[in-house]
Amino acid sequence: MATRLLFLDDSGKPAANDGTMAVVIGGFSIASEDVPVLSRRIVGAKARFYPNRGNPTDWEVKSTDAISPNAWRRRKNRDFIDELTRILERLSCTSYTAGIRKANMLHPMTLKTTVPLQLQALVEHFAVECKTQQATGIVVSDWSNHQLDEHASRCVASYAASYRLNIHPGVYYASSHTAQAIQAADLIAGIRRRVLEGDQRLAAVGRRLSSLSAVADGSAHRTHAWRTYTNQIVLF
């Protein structure tokens, strides 16, 4: 079978004293054989739009540097995001996000509770794409800390096994500093979080990213839980 990778990163924290108003895990799926092409094209885009930052493999583009209110005023950042979206589109990627609006939380939550919920929701819908593509799914996330990563991976493994989803049992982790795909996932998660928070400046690019899908007629598909397939999930 073919293999599709789902690259993920997070944006925002659930703690009440954190300034963000939403918590998002987001990224994109891609055929495994296209990952080297993706990486080369992102490196090329970084070199083109940020020529003064040196070797593009030596630094990572971060959402805080590219899409924060002040950064978004700079043309090179908007052009880079536009080019990144084109790269993902041409490689038949699907954007995925799972968001939580903190105002809708019924009780205080921590990353230990939000991350598994978000990952399980993403896997539920990613599994539909894998089925339509006759592919095995692999989840790759930016690492955070050992205990949280291990906990999240166990939750995904248990979930995938319980429902016999064609997904590798667990989560693989990579460094955003060296993995261009994780850097792209960070931007997708950051844009989606700000859109959920009401940032109208990013609404258009948010809609464009959310339209990226390798699943034809997605609304006609159902997950194993009989929910309508979507690549933009809002848990609450």
Side-chain angles (χ1 to χ4, degrees):
M1 296 181 72
T3 304
R4 287 190 74 82
L5 302 179
L6 176 60
F7 290 100
L8 297 171
D9 203 351
D10 69 291
S11 183
K13 298 294 185 288
N17 61 357
D18 183 83
T20 56
M21 294 182 289
V23 186
V24 171
I25 294 179
F28 65 96
S29 66
I30 184 172
S32 60
E33 64 267 25
D34 289 334
V35 174
V37 178
L38 172 89
S39 296
R40 289 195 298 270
R41 291 180 180 177
I42 293 177
V43 167
K46 288 164 67 176
R48 175 184 172 191
F49 294 106
Y50 306 100
N52 297 323
R53 295 194 62 175
N55 189 333
T57 62
D58 291 340
W59 57 273
E60 60 179 299
V61 58
K62 290 179 169 290
S63 60
T64 51
D65 299 330
I67 61 175
S68 62
N70 287 333
W72 195 246
R73 295 191 182 101
R74 301 186 183 97
R75 178 65 181 268
K76 64 181 179 181
N77 291 330
R78 299 195 302 272
D79 288 346
F80 175 77
I81 297 298
D82 184 62
E83 178 61 20
L84 175 63
T85 305
R86 279 198 295 269
I87 291 170
L88 297 174
E89 185 176 35
R90 290 168 181 166
L91 291 174
S92 299
C93 298
T94 302
S95 68
Y96 282 95
T97 63
I100 295 172
R101 292 186 175 93
K102 291 165 66 171
N104 293 339
M105 291 181 179
L106 298 179
H107 52 78
M109 301 182 76
T110 66
L111 287 172
K112 190 174 181 179
T113 51
T114 58
V115 168
L117 286 175
Q118 291 169 289
L119 286 176
Q120 287 175 358
L122 288 162
V123 165
E124 176 185 343
H125 292 269
F126 177 48
V128 174
E129 175 182 342
C130 292
K131 184 176 181 180
T132 65
Q133 300 289 319
Q134 296 184 315
T136 300
I138 297 177
V139 179
V140 184
S141 179
D142 186 24
W143 59 42
S144 54
N145 66 68
H146 176 71
Q147 288 186 333
L148 179 61
D149 292 345
E150 185 178 42
H151 173 63
S153 187
R154 283 200 306 267
C155 291
V156 169
S158 175
Y159 186 79
S162 296
Y163 296 104
R164 298 184 178 182
L165 304 179
N166 203 33
I167 304 290
H168 273 224
V171 179
Y172 296 87
Y173 291 93
S175 167
S176 60
H177 187 74
T178 56
Q180 307 301 322
I182 296 293
Q183 295 175 34
D186 172 60
L187 292 167
I188 292 171
I191 289 169
R192 180 60 174 166
R193 175 178 66 79
R194 287 165 174 82
V195 170
L196 288 177
E197 292 174 340
D199 190 336
Q200 293 302 311
R201 300 171 304 108
L202 297 171
V205 68
R207 287 192 297 271
R208 187 178 173 198
L209 283 168
S210 67
S211 70
L212 298 179
S213 179
V215 181
D217 193 17
S219 62
H221 297 281
R222 295 290 185 273
T223 71
H224 71 272
W226 207 244
R227 281 184 274 264
T228 301
Y229 167 81
T230 179
N231 61 333
Q232 303 296 305
I233 306 158
V234 177
L235 292 174
F236 47 85

